[in-house]
Amino acid sequence: MNNEHIRCLILGSGPAGYTAAIYASRANLNPVLYAGLQPGGQLTTTTEVENFPGYPEGITGPEMMEQIKQQALRFGTDVRTGLATAVDFTQKPYKVTIDGTTTLTCDTLIIATGATAKYLGLPDEEKYAGMGVSACATCDGFFYRNRSVAVVGGGDTACEEAIYLAGLAKQVYLIVRKSYLRASQVMQDRVLNNPKITVLFEHNTLGLFGEDGVEGAHLVKRKGEQDEKLVDIAIDGFFLAIGHKPNTDFLSGQVALDESGYIATLNGSPLTSVAGVFAAGDVADPRYRQAITSAGSGCKAALEAEKYLIDNNL
């Protein structure tokens, strides 16, 4: 398949990628979509999805992504396995390398490669994935109404997650590795003044425990100090809020990124610094990171791609 030319190439198979594919297919752009490292995106690691319109009874993440994929296939999207490993935007048509071996050219490109949540690296995070461990309070907080949860992190994101969860849960522990919060002062004040939030400064998580799901966490206070102390807390949910890493390493300076590595877009549109290259979903969204906003941005990216092809007689 070397030297294959594609009119509209889509990288990524989450809500953004598949929605872009649906719109591009219906516009006869003959899109080819490469599913990437995690086919179906982050939603495939989520159990119940209850906040996506059209599913009044809820749906599992994998099932919803399979349905969206089938919709893209129905309109003719060519869905392939493979991961983009390099790009060259220095001349048209643009070049994209898949799996380090296959080089394609394309007239327009939609990048929807998403972002990866950062984890502590504990084996228990995998053991309890979907059974109490989450990296998205907005996605999964609803399931912990009137229960006890913990949030790991000390920045603005962690404080925002803790405050959000405090509106649902009966008790929120904020596990902070340092002796202070890194969050902005206004966020610190909101956390420290919230009666439902207990900040555990100078605590590190050692592991989780529970039979059929998370029932608690093993912590260590002042690790490595003379007064080091082991602490257990009873919780039902364990939320990671130590950041996300956008999947943009393969772009290697070919398109403008922000200081955190997310693709920089023009005034909230899918337009990037390279004409004909568009970004959709979490790869360009450090703020919302929701399936519905990703789907919406995928729609916009496909519409912009169609306009670009028409304007340039491609």
Side-chain angles (χ1 to χ4, degrees), residues 20 61 66 74 98 111 116 123 132 138 156 175-176 178 182 189 201 205 223 246 256 259 261 281 306 310 314:
E66 180 60 27
R74 173 191 167 201
I98 304 296
I111 304 172
T116 303
T138 309
D156 277 330
I175 302 171
V176 183
K178 298 183 180 294
R182 294 180 291 101
D189 293 341
F201 288 111
T205 306
K223 184 178 181 181
E259 63 277 4
E306 180 185 12
I310 292 173
L314 296 170

PDB file of all heavy atoms in Angstrom, residues 20 61 66 74 98 111 116 123 132 138 156 175-176 178 182 189 201 205 223 246 256 259 261 281 306 310 314:
ATOM      1  N   ALA A  20     -16.203  12.172  12.493  1.00  0.00           N
ATOM      2  CA  ALA A  20     -15.627  12.787  11.294  1.00  0.00           C
ATOM      3  C   ALA A  20     -15.806  11.856  10.094  1.00  0.00           C
ATOM      4  O   ALA A  20     -16.134  12.297   8.983  1.00  0.00           O
ATOM      5  CB  ALA A  20     -14.153  13.090  11.518  1.00  0.00           C
ATOM      6  N   GLY A  61     -19.279   1.691  27.268  1.00  0.00           N
ATOM      7  CA  GLY A  61     -18.400   2.402  26.361  1.00  0.00           C
ATOM      8  C   GLY A  61     -18.044   1.601  25.122  1.00  0.00           C
ATOM      9  O   GLY A  61     -18.184   2.092  23.993  1.00  0.00           O
ATOM     10  N   GLU A  66     -18.680   0.672  19.245  1.00  0.00           N
ATOM     11  CA  GLU A  66     -18.917  -0.276  18.159  1.00  0.00           C
ATOM     12  C   GLU A  66     -20.096   0.190  17.302  1.00  0.00           C
ATOM     13  O   GLU A  66     -20.055   0.071  16.062  1.00  0.00           O
ATOM     14  CB  GLU A  66     -19.185  -1.670  18.719  1.00  0.00           C
ATOM     15  CG  GLU A  66     -19.449  -2.743  17.667  1.00  0.00           C
ATOM     16  CD  GLU A  66     -18.314  -2.948  16.697  1.00  0.00           C
ATOM     17  OE1 GLU A  66     -17.140  -2.682  17.059  1.00  0.00           O
ATOM     18  OE2 GLU A  66     -18.592  -3.378  15.551  1.00  0.00           O
ATOM     19  N   ARG A  74     -21.234   1.880   7.574  1.00  0.00           N
ATOM     20  CA  ARG A  74     -22.454   1.863   6.758  1.00  0.00           C
ATOM     21  C   ARG A  74     -22.385   2.877   5.615  1.00  0.00           C
ATOM     22  O   ARG A  74     -22.868   2.621   4.502  1.00  0.00           O
ATOM     23  CB  ARG A  74     -23.660   2.171   7.646  1.00  0.00           C
ATOM     24  CG  ARG A  74     -24.967   2.342   6.882  1.00  0.00           C
ATOM     25  CD  ARG A  74     -26.064   2.902   7.768  1.00  0.00           C
ATOM     26  NE  ARG A  74     -27.205   3.341   6.992  1.00  0.00           N
ATOM     27  CZ  ARG A  74     -28.109   4.213   7.410  1.00  0.00           C
ATOM     28  NH1 ARG A  74     -28.000   4.743   8.612  1.00  0.00           N
ATOM     29  NH2 ARG A  74     -29.119   4.548   6.637  1.00  0.00           N
ATOM     30  N   ILE A  98       2.414   5.016   8.430  1.00  0.00           N
ATOM     31  CA  ILE A  98       1.659   4.128   9.312  1.00  0.00           C
ATOM     32  C   ILE A  98       2.551   2.981   9.768  1.00  0.00           C
ATOM     33  O   ILE A  98       3.174   2.300   8.943  1.00  0.00           O
ATOM     34  CB  ILE A  98       0.403   3.571   8.595  1.00  0.00           C
ATOM     35  CG1 ILE A  98      -0.486   4.715   8.073  1.00  0.00           C
ATOM     36  CG2 ILE A  98      -0.376   2.650   9.540  1.00  0.00           C
ATOM     37  CD1 ILE A  98      -1.090   5.598   9.154  1.00  0.00           C
ATOM     38  N   ILE A 111      -6.808  14.853  12.358  1.00  0.00           N
ATOM     39  CA  ILE A 111      -6.083  14.216  13.454  1.00  0.00           C
ATOM     40  C   ILE A 111      -7.001  14.131  14.662  1.00  0.00           C
ATOM     41  O   ILE A 111      -7.426  15.142  15.220  1.00  0.00           O
ATOM     42  CB  ILE A 111      -4.811  14.998  13.809  1.00  0.00           C
ATOM     43  CG1 ILE A 111      -3.922  15.171  12.575  1.00  0.00           C
ATOM     44  CG2 ILE A 111      -4.050  14.291  14.929  1.00  0.00           C
ATOM     45  CD1 ILE A 111      -2.739  16.095  12.804  1.00  0.00           C
ATOM     46  N   THR A 116      -4.015  10.518  26.419  1.00  0.00           N
ATOM     47  CA  THR A 116      -3.936   9.386  27.328  1.00  0.00           C
ATOM     48  C   THR A 116      -3.839   9.876  28.760  1.00  0.00           C
ATOM     49  O   THR A 116      -2.978  10.716  29.074  1.00  0.00           O
ATOM     50  CB  THR A 116      -2.696   8.517  27.002  1.00  0.00           C
ATOM     51  OG1 THR A 116      -2.767   8.107  25.635  1.00  0.00           O
ATOM     52  CG2 THR A 116      -2.650   7.298  27.901  1.00  0.00           C
ATOM     53  N   PRO A 123      -0.148  -1.628  39.845  1.00  0.00           N
ATOM     54  CA  PRO A 123      -0.855  -2.784  39.275  1.00  0.00           C
ATOM     55  C   PRO A 123      -2.356  -2.752  39.591  1.00  0.00           C
ATOM     56  O   PRO A 123      -3.170  -3.188  38.773  1.00  0.00           O
ATOM     57  CB  PRO A 123      -0.171  -3.981  39.944  1.00  0.00           C
ATOM     58  CG  PRO A 123       1.191  -3.491  40.301  1.00  0.00           C
ATOM     59  CD  PRO A 123       1.006  -2.044  40.667  1.00  0.00           C
ATOM     60  N   GLY A 132     -14.023   0.851  39.893  1.00  0.00           N
ATOM     61  CA  GLY A 132     -13.738   1.823  40.943  1.00  0.00           C
ATOM     62  C   GLY A 132     -12.621   2.772  40.604  1.00  0.00           C
ATOM     63  O   GLY A 132     -12.462   3.810  41.245  1.00  0.00           O
ATOM     64  N   THR A 138     -16.191  13.664  35.667  1.00  0.00           N
ATOM     65  CA  THR A 138     -17.413  14.065  34.968  1.00  0.00           C
ATOM     66  C   THR A 138     -18.090  12.863  34.330  1.00  0.00           C
ATOM     67  O   THR A 138     -19.320  12.786  34.274  1.00  0.00           O
ATOM     68  CB  THR A 138     -17.094  15.120  33.897  1.00  0.00           C
ATOM     69  OG1 THR A 138     -16.325  16.169  34.478  1.00  0.00           O
ATOM     70  CG2 THR A 138     -18.366  15.702  33.307  1.00  0.00           C
ATOM     71  N   ASP A 156      -4.895  22.223  39.508  1.00  0.00           N
ATOM     72  CA  ASP A 156      -6.244  22.739  39.251  1.00  0.00           C
ATOM     73  C   ASP A 156      -7.206  21.629  38.839  1.00  0.00           C
ATOM     74  O   ASP A 156      -8.361  21.601  39.273  1.00  0.00           O
ATOM     75  CB  ASP A 156      -6.210  23.802  38.145  1.00  0.00           C
ATOM     76  CG  ASP A 156      -5.822  25.178  38.679  1.00  0.00           C
ATOM     77  OD1 ASP A 156      -6.121  25.461  39.844  1.00  0.00           O
ATOM     78  OD2 ASP A 156      -5.205  25.944  37.931  1.00  0.00           O
ATOM     79  N   ILE A 175      -5.828  13.257  47.663  1.00  0.00           N
ATOM     80  CA  ILE A 175      -4.514  12.716  48.024  1.00  0.00           C
ATOM     81  C   ILE A 175      -3.441  13.528  47.309  1.00  0.00           C
ATOM     82  O   ILE A 175      -3.334  13.513  46.081  1.00  0.00           O
ATOM     83  CB  ILE A 175      -4.424  11.226  47.629  1.00  0.00           C
ATOM     84  CG1 ILE A 175      -5.541  10.417  48.305  1.00  0.00           C
ATOM     85  CG2 ILE A 175      -3.060  10.661  48.005  1.00  0.00           C
ATOM     86  CD1 ILE A 175      -5.649   8.993  47.804  1.00  0.00           C
ATOM     87  N   VAL A 176      -2.644  14.251  48.104  1.00  0.00           N
ATOM     88  CA  VAL A 176      -1.651  15.182  47.562  1.00  0.00           C
ATOM     89  C   VAL A 176      -0.256  14.738  47.995  1.00  0.00           C
ATOM     90  O   VAL A 176       0.012  14.608  49.193  1.00  0.00           O
ATOM     91  CB  VAL A 176      -1.917  16.627  48.043  1.00  0.00           C
ATOM     92  CG1 VAL A 176      -0.924  17.589  47.405  1.00  0.00           C
ATOM     93  CG2 VAL A 176      -3.349  17.036  47.724  1.00  0.00           C
ATOM     94  N   LYS A 178       2.600  16.302  47.785  1.00  0.00           N
ATOM     95  CA  LYS A 178       3.399  17.358  48.419  1.00  0.00           C
ATOM     96  C   LYS A 178       2.685  17.929  49.650  1.00  0.00           C
ATOM     97  O   LYS A 178       1.561  17.533  49.973  1.00  0.00           O
ATOM     98  CB  LYS A 178       3.700  18.462  47.409  1.00  0.00           C
ATOM     99  CG  LYS A 178       4.538  17.982  46.212  1.00  0.00           C
ATOM    100  CD  LYS A 178       4.881  19.111  45.287  1.00  0.00           C
ATOM    101  CE  LYS A 178       5.709  18.637  44.104  1.00  0.00           C
ATOM    102  NZ  LYS A 178       7.041  18.165  44.523  1.00  0.00           N
ATOM    103  N   ARG A 182      -0.790  22.731  44.255  1.00  0.00           N
ATOM    104  CA  ARG A 182      -0.227  23.489  43.130  1.00  0.00           C
ATOM    105  C   ARG A 182      -1.298  24.301  42.409  1.00  0.00           C
ATOM    106  O   ARG A 182      -0.988  25.084  41.513  1.00  0.00           O
ATOM    107  CB  ARG A 182       0.435  22.547  42.131  1.00  0.00           C
ATOM    108  CG  ARG A 182       1.663  21.824  42.669  1.00  0.00           C
ATOM    109  CD  ARG A 182       2.269  20.916  41.620  1.00  0.00           C
ATOM    110  NE  ARG A 182       1.412  19.769  41.312  1.00  0.00           N
ATOM    111  CZ  ARG A 182       0.640  19.663  40.257  1.00  0.00           C
ATOM    112  NH1 ARG A 182       0.583  20.628  39.366  1.00  0.00           N
ATOM    113  NH2 ARG A 182      -0.100  18.582  40.059  1.00  0.00           N
ATOM    114  N   ASP A 189      -8.765  27.628  47.739  1.00  0.00           N
ATOM    115  CA  ASP A 189      -9.736  28.112  48.732  1.00  0.00           C
ATOM    116  C   ASP A 189     -11.028  27.313  48.676  1.00  0.00           C
ATOM    117  O   ASP A 189     -11.603  26.964  49.716  1.00  0.00           O
ATOM    118  CB  ASP A 189     -10.027  29.604  48.503  1.00  0.00           C
ATOM    119  CG  ASP A 189      -8.817  30.487  48.798  1.00  0.00           C
ATOM    120  OD1 ASP A 189      -7.907  30.013  49.505  1.00  0.00           O
ATOM    121  OD2 ASP A 189      -8.791  31.627  48.316  1.00  0.00           O
ATOM    122  N   PHE A 201      -2.431  15.823  52.759  1.00  0.00           N
ATOM    123  CA  PHE A 201      -1.135  16.292  52.288  1.00  0.00           C
ATOM    124  C   PHE A 201      -0.039  15.272  52.608  1.00  0.00           C
ATOM    125  O   PHE A 201      -0.127  14.520  53.578  1.00  0.00           O
ATOM    126  CB  PHE A 201      -0.784  17.627  52.952  1.00  0.00           C
ATOM    127  CG  PHE A 201      -1.600  18.788  52.458  1.00  0.00           C
ATOM    128  CD1 PHE A 201      -2.536  19.402  53.287  1.00  0.00           C
ATOM    129  CD2 PHE A 201      -1.435  19.272  51.172  1.00  0.00           C
ATOM    130  CE1 PHE A 201      -3.279  20.477  52.847  1.00  0.00           C
ATOM    131  CE2 PHE A 201      -2.183  20.353  50.715  1.00  0.00           C
ATOM    132  CZ  PHE A 201      -3.111  20.958  51.550  1.00  0.00           C
ATOM    133  N   THR A 205      -0.069   6.997  47.335  1.00  0.00           N
ATOM    134  CA  THR A 205      -0.877   5.781  47.242  1.00  0.00           C
ATOM    135  C   THR A 205       0.023   4.584  46.987  1.00  0.00           C
ATOM    136  O   THR A 205       0.818   4.577  46.047  1.00  0.00           O
ATOM    137  CB  THR A 205      -1.912   5.896  46.109  1.00  0.00           C
ATOM    138  OG1 THR A 205      -2.680   7.085  46.285  1.00  0.00           O
ATOM    139  CG2 THR A 205      -2.837   4.691  46.109  1.00  0.00           C
ATOM    140  N   LYS A 223       6.362   9.682  53.243  1.00  0.00           N
ATOM    141  CA  LYS A 223       7.180   8.563  52.799  1.00  0.00           C
ATOM    142  C   LYS A 223       8.672   8.890  52.898  1.00  0.00           C
ATOM    143  O   LYS A 223       9.135   9.931  52.431  1.00  0.00           O
ATOM    144  CB  LYS A 223       6.812   8.201  51.359  1.00  0.00           C
ATOM    145  CG  LYS A 223       7.548   6.985  50.817  1.00  0.00           C
ATOM    146  CD  LYS A 223       7.077   6.683  49.397  1.00  0.00           C
ATOM    147  CE  LYS A 223       7.789   5.450  48.844  1.00  0.00           C
ATOM    148  NZ  LYS A 223       7.349   5.164  47.458  1.00  0.00           N
ATOM    149  N   PRO A 246      -1.455  14.399  25.479  1.00  0.00           N
ATOM    150  CA  PRO A 246      -2.012  14.296  24.128  1.00  0.00           C
ATOM    151  C   PRO A 246      -1.135  13.414  23.256  1.00  0.00           C
ATOM    152  O   PRO A 246       0.100  13.423  23.372  1.00  0.00           O
ATOM    153  CB  PRO A 246      -2.012  15.755  23.638  1.00  0.00           C
ATOM    154  CG  PRO A 246      -0.940  16.421  24.443  1.00  0.00           C
ATOM    155  CD  PRO A 246      -0.961  15.754  25.784  1.00  0.00           C
ATOM    156  N   ALA A 256       1.654  23.289  14.784  1.00  0.00           N
ATOM    157  CA  ALA A 256       1.787  24.043  16.033  1.00  0.00           C
ATOM    158  C   ALA A 256       1.063  23.342  17.185  1.00  0.00           C
ATOM    159  O   ALA A 256      -0.085  22.922  17.042  1.00  0.00           O
ATOM    160  CB  ALA A 256       1.248  25.453  15.855  1.00  0.00           C
ATOM    161  N   GLU A 259       1.687  24.680  24.879  1.00  0.00           N
ATOM    162  CA  GLU A 259       2.781  24.371  25.800  1.00  0.00           C
ATOM    163  C   GLU A 259       2.667  22.986  26.426  1.00  0.00           C
ATOM    164  O   GLU A 259       3.649  22.428  26.926  1.00  0.00           O
ATOM    165  CB  GLU A 259       2.855  25.429  26.905  1.00  0.00           C
ATOM    166  CG  GLU A 259       1.647  25.531  27.803  1.00  0.00           C
ATOM    167  CD  GLU A 259       0.524  26.386  27.216  1.00  0.00           C
ATOM    168  OE1 GLU A 259       0.656  26.846  26.057  1.00  0.00           O
ATOM    169  OE2 GLU A 259      -0.478  26.606  27.923  1.00  0.00           O
ATOM    170  N   GLY A 261       1.485  20.340  24.669  1.00  0.00           N
ATOM    171  CA  GLY A 261       1.574  19.340  23.616  1.00  0.00           C
ATOM    172  C   GLY A 261       0.289  19.089  22.866  1.00  0.00           C
ATOM    173  O   GLY A 261       0.253  18.249  21.963  1.00  0.00           O
ATOM    174  N   GLY A 281     -11.352  16.375  18.783  1.00  0.00           N
ATOM    175  CA  GLY A 281     -11.349  15.563  19.992  1.00  0.00           C
ATOM    176  C   GLY A 281     -10.299  15.972  21.000  1.00  0.00           C
ATOM    177  O   GLY A 281      -9.754  17.083  20.972  1.00  0.00           O
ATOM    178  N   GLU A 306     -14.228  19.050   3.964  1.00  0.00           N
ATOM    179  CA  GLU A 306     -15.009  19.108   2.725  1.00  0.00           C
ATOM    180  C   GLU A 306     -14.854  20.470   2.058  1.00  0.00           C
ATOM    181  O   GLU A 306     -14.644  20.584   0.835  1.00  0.00           O
ATOM    182  CB  GLU A 306     -16.483  18.841   3.032  1.00  0.00           C
ATOM    183  CG  GLU A 306     -17.380  18.888   1.803  1.00  0.00           C
ATOM    184  CD  GLU A 306     -18.859  18.749   2.163  1.00  0.00           C
ATOM    185  OE1 GLU A 306     -19.212  18.843   3.370  1.00  0.00           O
ATOM    186  OE2 GLU A 306     -19.661  18.560   1.221  1.00  0.00           O
ATOM    187  N   ILE A 310     -13.162  21.344  -1.663  1.00  0.00           N
ATOM    188  CA  ILE A 310     -13.923  22.077  -2.702  1.00  0.00           C
ATOM    189  C   ILE A 310     -13.180  23.342  -3.117  1.00  0.00           C
ATOM    190  O   ILE A 310     -13.011  23.624  -4.312  1.00  0.00           O
ATOM    191  CB  ILE A 310     -15.326  22.415  -2.185  1.00  0.00           C
ATOM    192  CG1 ILE A 310     -16.161  21.124  -2.026  1.00  0.00           C
ATOM    193  CG2 ILE A 310     -16.034  23.380  -3.135  1.00  0.00           C
ATOM    194  CD1 ILE A 310     -17.503  21.348  -1.351  1.00  0.00           C
ATOM    195  N   LEU A 314      -9.882  19.715  -5.154  1.00  0.00           N
ATOM    196  CA  LEU A 314      -9.225  18.442  -4.910  1.00  0.00           C
ATOM    197  C   LEU A 314     -10.226  17.302  -4.867  1.00  0.00           C
ATOM    198  O   LEU A 314     -11.385  17.504  -4.554  1.00  0.00           O
ATOM    199  CB  LEU A 314      -8.436  18.504  -3.596  1.00  0.00           C
ATOM    200  CG  LEU A 314      -7.274  19.494  -3.588  1.00  0.00           C
ATOM    201  CD1 LEU A 314      -6.729  19.666  -2.183  1.00  0.00           C
ATOM    202  CD2 LEU A 314      -6.171  19.025  -4.541  1.00  0.00           C
TER     203      LEU A 314
END
